[in-house]
């Protein structure tokens, strides 16, 4: 039988048409530095014996606070020229989970998802009600101006004038999956959604089983991609199910779902996944995916392209 790693952490910052050609060297450096810094902080917490839940919330919060990613501070503009954010988190030991959708004034949506999991009897809260709950839980509430980003605003203005979306703009998400010293898995995902989304659209990120899933018996998964397809394919849960019922390894299950099931539907994107031994899989069917991992016996490793 495999010997489990003492602990492990894998993160992503979105998937899409991320190529050497369209990422300037200084941008690439910024992403690599940020992902590495996030992994180092998570690594330190895990060394100290912190729970996978605490680590997932912390590392996703760090990415939400960075304008580099389409989550929290860097969230894209919807059709109305505003931000609304979605997030979810799930624990592998008791299958408890929390999710929120369509919040516009919560600094760290992942913290609110955790509050739903740990401090409410519900799993999924949306919009005004979710914001009201955030206030009652005394989370950081910010003025919507906090989320303003000039580059993303300029992009929104162009879209308003009927330009098309690039694949990357559909795919901005951040996520983390973690195994702690107690052997517990936890997964979380946070996003600003799709650029120029209309009608209160919600993607896969807050949908348990599509964007996020964790079960100590199989694996933890966080998805990034064209959310509609991830919901239809129930991507995160399908990977866990292939392991639980089909005897697939983590790598086989993740590849099957991303490269066959999802691709067959016409969906693009990827996942980060981790099994109870701390093995990591990071398949994607796009040009690139911001990703990285660290384990109890390896240094932080970061990658962007195929």
């Amino acid at each position: 039988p495999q010997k489990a790693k003492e602990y492990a952490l894998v993160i992503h910052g979105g998937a899409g048409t991320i190529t050497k050609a369209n990422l300037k060297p200084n941008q690439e450096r910024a992403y690599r530095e940020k992902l590495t810094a996030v992994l180092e902080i998570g690594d330190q917490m895990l060394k100290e014996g912190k729970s996978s839940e605490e680590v997932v919330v912390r590392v996703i919060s760090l990415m939400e606070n960075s304008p580099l990613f389409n989550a929290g501070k860097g969230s894209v503009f919807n059709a109305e020229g505003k931000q609304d954010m979605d997030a979810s988190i799930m624990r592998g030991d008791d299958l408890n989970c929390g999710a929120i959708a369509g919040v516009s004034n919560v600094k760290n949506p992942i913290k609110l998802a955790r509050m739903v999991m740990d401090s409410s009897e519900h799993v999924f809260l949306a919009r005004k009600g979710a914001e009201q709950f955030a206030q009652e839980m005394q989370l950081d509430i910010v003025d919507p101006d906090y989320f303003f980003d000039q580059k993303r605003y300029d992009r929104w203005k162009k879209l308003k004038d009927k330009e098309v979306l690039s694949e990357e703009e559909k795919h901005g998400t951040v996520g983390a999956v973690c195994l702690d010293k107690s052997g517990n898995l936890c997964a979380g995902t946070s996003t600003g959604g799709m650029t120029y989304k209309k009608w209160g659209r919600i993607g896969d990120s807050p949908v348990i089983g599509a964007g996020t899933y964790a079960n100590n018996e199989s694996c933890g998964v966080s998805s990034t991609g064209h959310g509609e397809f991830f919901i239809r394919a129930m991507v995160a849960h399908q990977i866990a199910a292939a392991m639980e019922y089909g005897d697939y390894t983590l790598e086989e299950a993740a590849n099957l779902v991303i490269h066959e099931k999802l691709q067959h539907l016409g969906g693009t994107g990827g996942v980060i996944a981790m099994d109870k031994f701390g093995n990591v899989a990071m398949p994607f069917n796009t040009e690139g995916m911001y990703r990285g991992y660290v384990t109890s016996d390896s240094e932080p490793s970061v990658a962007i392209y195929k």
Side-chain angles (χ1 to χ4, degrees), residues 27 35 49 75 96 110-111 128 132 155 175 211 225-227 234 246 276 281 287-288:
Q27 290 175 307
L35 292 167
S75 292
N96 200 0
I110 193 67
K111 290 182 180 175
K128 285 281 172 277
Q132 193 185 330
R155 187 72 197 117
H226 195 154
M234 277 321 254
K276 60 185 174 188
E287 299 279 349

Side-chain angles (χ1 to χ4, degrees), residues 64 71-77 82-85 103-109 140-150 152:
E64 287 175 340
K73 177 94 180 116
S75 292
V76 295
F77 288 76
K82 300 187 175 90
Q83 285 76 17
D84 51 53
M85 294 154 281
V103 301
S104 59
N105 64 357
V106 178
K107 187 182 176 191
N108 291 110
D140 279 350
I141 303 297
V142 290
D143 192 274
D145 287 350
Y146 167 82
F147 301 105
F148 183 88
D149 178 82
Q150 191 63 48
R152 299 205 194 268

